[in-house]
Amino acid sequence: MADHADNRLVLRYLLRTAPAVGAAAALGGIATDPGSSWYRRLRKPRWQPPPRAFGVVWPVLYGLIAYGGARALAAAGERGERGERGTVARALAVNLALNAAWTPLFFRAHAPRLALADLAVLNASNLDLLRRFGRADRRAAAALTPYLAWTAFATALNATIAARNPDKRRTRIPGWRLRTF
């Protein structure tokens, strides 16, 4: 991609990816509740970052996802690969939906194991997205790598919390009866 043309095209796609990423971020922000009595009672590993660290890391990651997505979409479209651009867009949408699902599963449904299952699928989606971004544009893939690293860390953290809290298996989903997962 030529740098000058690249900037305008990336900006055009950024105006599309940023709202989608922002919606996932907003859902996560609304559903997060590290001050809840349920969360405070969980046995967590000592290596868990303080809650304020998540508020610093996630905005950066979401910005990189939006930027990387814009670059990948621009690169696929510039080469005339409309089919590939659509595939990248769908893969990004699925990834953002999986990303947005984790927080309500963990914090609102109180389901660490179900949230861990979501993370397993999210990690597979991340690898697929990295492959697609990398095929379209190396910078797009590079922008995505911190997100992959953080979600791998989040998976280890979630798995540790789930293992340390076997009695926290009750899932609370509004409108549903309590279920054990």
Side-chain angles (χ1 to χ4, degrees):
M1 287 176 38
D3 285 335
H4 185 44
D6 172 51
N7 290 337
R8 280 187 285 185
L9 198 54
V10 170
L11 180 59
R12 193 171 89 204
Y13 282 103
L14 189 58
L15 293 173
R16 296 176 185 174
T17 59
V21 172
L27 180 60
I30 290 167
T32 300
D33 189 8
S36 74
S37 60
W38 173 82
Y39 183 75
R40 286 193 320 268
R41 286 192 310 263
L42 289 174
R43 291 184 298 275
K44 298 177 270 310
R46 293 189 331 185
W47 47 270
Q48 177 177 333
R52 66 186 169 278
F54 294 89
V56 172
V57 170
W58 273 110
V60 173
L61 295 176
Y62 282 128
L64 289 170
I65 294 165
Y67 174 72
R71 284 196 65 88
L73 290 166
E78 188 174 71
R79 291 194 312 251
E81 299 173 5
R82 291 183 189 266
E84 181 62 19
R85 184 176 59 208
T87 303
V88 169
R90 283 188 295 279
L92 179 59
V94 166
N95 187 275
L96 291 173
L98 290 165
N99 176 299
W102 182 88
T103 309
L105 288 172
F106 189 88
F107 283 102
R108 297 297 176 188
H110 301 170
R113 285 172 178 71
L114 197 53
L116 183 59
D118 175 75
L119 279 173
V121 179
L122 177 62
N123 285 322
S125 173
N126 286 346
L127 292 173
D128 177 59
L129 206 56
L130 181 66
R131 179 181 61 81
R132 291 180 191 285
F133 279 24
R135 221 174 20 208
D137 180 76
R138 286 185 179 185
R139 288 184 194 173
L144 197 63
T145 55
Y147 172 56
L148 273 71
W150 185 261
T151 55
F153 170 75
T155 302
L157 180 59
N158 191 150
T160 302
I161 290 171
R164 288 181 175 204
N165 297 277
D167 56 327
K168 304 292 184 205
R169 293 185 300 170
R170 290 279 180 195
T171 302
R172 190 188 73 188
I173 301 174
W176 292 14
R177 291 179 300 194
L178 285 180
R179 300 189 187 256
T180 302
F181 289 93

